[in-house]
């Protein structure tokens, strides 16, 4: 039987786009999905960044984690029984682990890893959805059919082409916040945009070239995968001939 997964890219909570996530809820309600894949950088962890910080911002790391937990709970309620939610660790999510290693090694056993803060084990045991965590340093950890889904490690003007040449398999990645698709006839490589508020997430005031997007990965009985790209603009999207609006 065909399986299909909704793919969500970089959200950078607290800079995430509420319209984008309300749109994801509507698309999940529209038909049966077997799972969701979040491609990493769900959390920005701006508090741990080396970039200059807005002193007016008051939200804490736990505020951001609580916001992410609310979204995960909503997604889980919209999936069918035994659905899967795959959470990839992006370079921004990895900031927490890196910060502890560099600046607070003595707190390593006190500050719990992100999967524990998100209560993924408890969620899986208590609910009808299986939560799976994929570490940043294991690029092939998340594989559905013949497609590898990763956060992404490279950035240039032709990231999708670079990934196709480097990995020689079908891949879907986030990281760049740009939408690209390329295929050699046998495999495809996709860079799947972002899910954030661009003006708040970007570190420069110039145009970014970013594009909000989602994806739908379909895997057939033989493990062959195909990808549909859903472009999102101001909370609106067209998917399989139907218009959705947040």
């Amino acid at each position: 039987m065909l399986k299909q997964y909704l793919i969500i890219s970089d959200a950078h909570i607290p800079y995430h786009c509420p319209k984008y996530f309300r749109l994801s809820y509507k698309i999940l309600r529209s038909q049966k999905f077997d799972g969701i894949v979040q491609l990493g950088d769900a959390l920005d962890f701006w508090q741990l960044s080396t970039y200059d910080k807005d002193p007016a911002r008051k939200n804490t790391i736990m505020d951001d984690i609580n916001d992410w937990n609310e979204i995960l709970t909503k997604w889980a309620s919209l999936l069918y029984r035994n659905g899967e939610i795959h959470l990839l660790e992006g370079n921004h999510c990895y900031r927490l682990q890196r910060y502890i290693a560099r600046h607070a090694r003595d707190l390593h056993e006190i500050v719990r890893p992100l999967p524990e803060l998100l209560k993924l084990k408890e969620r899986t045991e208590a609910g009808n959805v299986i939560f799976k965590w994929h570490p940043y340093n294991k690029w092939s950890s998340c594989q559905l059919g013949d497609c590898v889904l990763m956060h992404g490690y490279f950035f240039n003007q032709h990231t999708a082409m670079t990934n196709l040449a480097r990995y020689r398999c079908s891949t879907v990645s986030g990281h760049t916040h740009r939408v690209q698709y390329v295929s050699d006839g046998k495999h495809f490589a996709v860079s799947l945009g972002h899910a954030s508020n661009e003006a708040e997430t970007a570190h420069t005031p110039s145009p970014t070239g970013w594009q909000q997007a989602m994806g739908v990965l379909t895997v057939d009985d033989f493990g062959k995968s195909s990808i549909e790209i859903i472009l999102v603009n101001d909370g609106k999207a067209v998917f399989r001939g139907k218009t959705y609006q947040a």
Side-chain angles (χ1 to χ4, degrees), residues 13-178:
I13 295 170
Y15 307 128
H16 59 299
C17 176
K19 287 183 179 180
Y20 178 103
F21 282 94
R22 290 198 297 271
L23 189 65
S24 78
Y25 305 150
K26 288 194 172 183
I27 291 175
L28 284 167
R29 290 190 187 100
S30 70
Q31 56 192 289
K32 182 180 181 297
F33 282 90
D34 298 279
I36 300 168
V37 181
Q38 199 285 319
L39 291 174
D41 284 357
L43 293 159
D44 189 84
F45 282 135
W46 64 273
Q47 299 92 340
L48 307 178
S49 170
T50 56
Y51 288 98
D52 293 338
K53 303 169 182 63
D54 182 354
R57 294 201 70 93
K58 303 299 182 184
N59 58 309
T60 67
I61 287 176
M62 283 310 304
D63 290 333
D64 297 342
I65 289 174
N66 289 337
D67 287 344
W68 184 214
N69 270 319
E70 288 183 10
I71 292 171
L72 293 179
T73 298
K74 184 67 174 180
W75 278 349
S77 72
L78 296 173
L79 280 181
Y80 282 77
R81 184 178 179 83
N82 297 324
E84 299 177 345
I85 296 182
H86 296 264
L87 303 177
L88 280 61
E89 183 179 32
N91 57 297
H92 279 253
C93 296
Y94 190 69
R95 281 176 173 173
L96 178 60
Q97 181 177 335
R98 187 174 60 221
Y99 183 89
I100 295 297
R102 290 181 178 179
H103 305 292
R105 293 179 62 186
D106 292 337
L107 300 181
H108 172 71
E109 294 183 352
I110 297 175
V111 180
R112 306 316 303 153
L114 194 51
E116 292 186 26
L117 293 173
L118 296 173
K119 297 181 174 60
L120 301 187
K121 181 180 178 180
E122 291 85 349
R123 287 176 177 275
T124 298
E125 292 175 347
N128 298 321
V129 174
I130 300 169
F131 285 81
K132 297 185 178 182
W133 177 258
H134 301 277
Y136 179 59
N137 58 4
K138 294 184 178 180
W139 72 270
S140 61
S141 173
C142 184
Q143 184 166 347
L144 300 173
D146 62 356
C147 181
V148 174
L149 299 101
M150 68 184 84
H151 176 65
Y153 308 92
F154 311 104
F155 174 77
N156 56 35
Q157 288 185 322
H158 309 286
T159 299
M161 181 65 76
T162 299
N163 286 346
L164 185 65
R166 180 179 293 269
Y167 296 108
R168 295 296 178 181
C169 66
S170 293
T171 61
V172 179
S173 64
H175 189 50
T176 70
H177 294 203
R178 292 161 174 80

Side-chain angles (χ1 to χ4, degrees), residues 126 172 191 220:
V172 179
S191 175
D220 68 17

